[in-house]
Amino acid sequence: MNNNKGTLSPTGIDKSIIKPIVTAFNYEKLSNLTNKVLDTTGITLPIIDRTTGEYIEISNLVVNDGYVFKNFKSGINVTNNNLIRYNKLDLSRMGADDNNLIPYSMTAYKEHAEKVINYISNIYGIELDKNNLKGEVLELNTNIILDHPFEEYSHILDTISKVCAGGKHRFKPQITRDETGEKIETVILFNKSNISLKIYNKKLQLEEVKNQFINNEIMRIELTLKRQEAIEELFGTCYLNELTDEQ
């Protein structure tokens, strides 16, 4: 990294869960894989088999990839005696060598989502509609290059947690400190609106979790929108094709 002040990149997207629609699948191909759950018992809804043209009743369908994406889950909700199939695709970045310091821009994120959908079709035989993708969880983040060691900002983080706690929005702080109990390593602010704000020592996290070492002191700020409603409230839409970097 050549930067010595400011941020590493514009604010972007890292972890996310989207809600695509299953249009068809290859039942035989999927049945032969080991990293999946394919349940045809209990409450079911039909999915067309692309190879045979037959409809197969499916209750739960889960694929744990852990390589290109984290997982894909498809199940059934019962609402007012109506059966509705839900689908959730966790697009979280995978791989121990990915330090995720630079988040996706919206353009790059949309390209990543399309590549994952193509990968799922080719590898698992599950066809997902690329159109009208809805966001369920979005983590927006930025990385600030600090002038001093992260520990020296503890008093500022402590003040932030006290100012944001309570009041109309009723944020609750969750603070993690070092072994001495004096220096703050992580601050999480959350409320009942399915929104959380996390500020932490990214340099320390990379060292402890991924055994990766960087020279800069980095303060990571993550805003997580945990439900579709929270995304709609912030951006006025939950559809990925309508989200922009400017927003």
Side-chain angles (χ1 to χ4, degrees):
M1 297 178 295
N2 297 322
N3 303 53
N4 55 18
K5 63 180 180 179
T7 59
L8 291 175
S9 68
T11 300
I13 296 176
D14 185 20
K15 298 178 181 178
S16 67
I17 297 176
I18 62 175
K19 300 193 293 188
I21 296 174
V22 178
T23 58
F25 75 144
N26 185 324
Y27 180 79
E28 182 178 2
K29 183 175 186 177
L30 193 56
S31 298
N32 292 327
L33 299 175
T34 57
N35 58 332
K36 60 88 177 62
V37 173
L38 186 57
D39 192 355
T40 59
T41 63
I43 300 175
T44 64
L45 282 174
I47 300 177
I48 192 169
D49 187 329
R50 182 64 70 195
T51 58
T52 66
E54 299 179 356
Y55 283 91
I56 300 178
E57 297 290 332
I58 301 294
S59 55
N60 291 314
L61 194 166
V62 179
V63 172
N64 294 304
D65 183 75
Y67 178 62
V68 174
F69 65 100
K70 188 173 182 180
N71 58 53
F72 171 74
K73 298 179 180 180
S74 180
I76 296 173
N77 286 329
V78 181
T79 305
N80 297 326
N81 294 322
N82 294 319
L83 303 183
I84 301 174
R85 179 168 295 283
Y86 68 84
N87 306 296
K88 296 184 178 182
L89 173 57
D90 191 327
L91 289 171
S92 298
R93 296 181 180 185
M94 308 304 298
D97 59 339
D98 181 12
N99 62 27
N100 73 343
L101 273 174
I102 307 300
Y104 288 114
S105 66
M106 275 310 306
T107 299
Y109 175 73
K110 293 172 185 177
E111 292 174 353
H112 172 62
E114 183 172 351
K115 288 178 181 178
V116 172
I117 290 174
N118 290 335
Y119 171 83
I120 291 174
S121 177
N122 294 331
I123 302 300
Y124 298 104
I126 303 172
E127 298 180 17
L128 304 176
D129 189 351
K130 300 177 184 178
N131 301 311
N132 301 318
L133 295 174
K134 292 182 179 181
E136 172 72 4
V137 175
L138 283 183
E139 178 197 288
L140 313 175
N141 70 65
T142 189
N143 300 280
I144 299 174
I145 303 172
L146 302 176
D147 296 322
H148 305 282
F150 186 92
E151 293 77 12
E152 295 186 17
Y153 295 83
S154 285
H155 65 290
I156 297 176
L157 297 178
D158 189 48
T159 300
I160 289 174
S161 64
K162 290 177 180 177
V163 170
C164 292
K168 183 175 68 173
H169 297 289
R170 299 185 183 277
F171 279 94
K172 295 182 179 180
Q174 179 180 321
I175 299 175
T176 302
R177 300 180 184 270
D178 65 1
E179 296 178 353
T180 68
E182 298 179 357
K183 304 299 183 181
I184 293 177
E185 294 180 348
T186 303
V187 171
I188 301 176
L189 300 167
F190 58 94
N191 61 15
K192 295 181 179 180
S193 300
N194 296 306
I195 296 175
S196 70
L197 182 69
K198 182 177 180 180
I199 307 172
Y200 64 98
N201 187 339
K202 184 62 177 178
K203 179 180 180 180
L204 179 63
Q205 188 256 358
L206 288 177
E207 293 174 358
E208 293 182 344
V209 176
K210 295 196 174 184
N211 197 33
Q212 295 184 4
F213 300 87
I214 58 177
N215 294 324
N216 294 108
E217 292 281 339
I218 302 294
M219 178 181 288
R220 172 72 156 241
I221 302 178
E222 297 175 353
L223 176 68
T224 302
L225 309 173
K226 300 180 180 180
R227 293 291 301 274
Q228 176 182 316
E229 292 79 8
I231 298 173
E232 289 178 333
E233 182 177 353
L234 183 62
F235 295 115
T237 181
C238 64
Y239 290 97
L240 298 188
N241 63 342
E242 296 177 0
L243 295 178
T244 66
D245 286 312
E246 288 72 24
Q247 287 173 303

